[in-house]
Amino acid sequence: MGMLLDLVDFLQPRLTVVDAVVGMEGDGPTWGRARPVGYLLAGVNPLAVDWVMGRMMGFPAAAVPLFQIAPPPPVEVRGLTLDEARVPDFRLPSPNTLEDGLEGLSWLPRRVKEYLSKELLPRPRVNPKLCIGCARCEESCPQHAIQLHDQTAMVDLNLCIRCWCCNEVCPQGAVELSRSRLGRLLASARG
Ligand code: SF4
Ligand code: SF4
């Protein structure tokens, strides 16, 4: 979070625009659901825009990590009141998707949750036919779970925390995400 604030300080953006015509609620990106919201937000202060967005989604102020280290800026909302802009019944993400596994399973013992999280969340797998050995995934993996062997990336799933950074940074689309059979079953049940 501190890095985000440093970036704002460094870049000094003049205008921040958020396309919230269609939002995502729940445990996105993989477990989230598209939700028509119908708003475009714009503001000169990115923290103010973030704060307004959080309020629209129904986040309690204390639950937003950013505003635990930075006080919310003064905000002037034009056009609507914040209460009018509130998206009804917006489904918030689980407190920590990776630690809690899946929404609704937070009552399980921690060890069971950890096991289920790893089993049910999509796991990265490198397609050797597409990998060109550029090492971007290796460099971006926070767990050092990726190593290159013969110019092909390999993932150690025991170290992997399913953050999917490797999937996002790969320029070749070589990191595929796949679910176990149980994960696929659950995903289809959640629609
Ligand atoms: S980022 Fe993609 S192409 Fe590059 S090494 Fe990793 S898997 Fe291979
Ligand atoms: S999903 Fe995250 S932790 Fe797992 S290999 Fe990819 S970058 Fe590393």
Side-chain angles (χ1 to χ4, degrees), residues 122-124 137 140-146 154-157 159-167 175 177:
R123 56 188 73 178
C137 56
S140 66
C141 175
Q143 292 297 103
H144 307 294
I146 301 179
M154 300 193 75
V155 179
D156 182 343
L157 288 176
L159 296 177
C160 171
I161 57 169
R162 318 298 197 252
C163 70
W164 310 311
C165 290
C166 49
N167 170 267
V175 182
L177 299 176

Side-chain angles (χ1 to χ4, degrees), residues 39-97:
Y39 284 109
L40 277 178
L41 284 79
V44 291
N45 183 327
L47 296 186
V49 174
D50 242 31
W51 187 80
V52 169
M53 230 171 24
R55 292 283 304 274
M56 287 173 62
M57 290 188 284
F59 273 106
V64 180
L66 191 59
F67 297 121
Q68 288 170 6
I69 57 174
V75 172
E76 181 190 354
V77 183
R78 294 187 185 172
L80 289 174
T81 66
L82 272 178
D83 281 342
E84 286 169 331
R86 174 85 184 265
V87 185
D89 305 319
F90 195 85
R91 204 158 59 91
L92 297 177
S94 308
N96 184 328
T97 303

Side-chain angles (χ1 to χ4, degrees), residues 125-132 166-167 170-176:
R125 194 184 71 86
V126 176
N127 183 335
K129 290 184 184 156
L130 297 179
C131 178
I132 56 172
C166 49
N167 170 267
C170 177
Q172 297 297 110
V175 182
E176 297 164 353

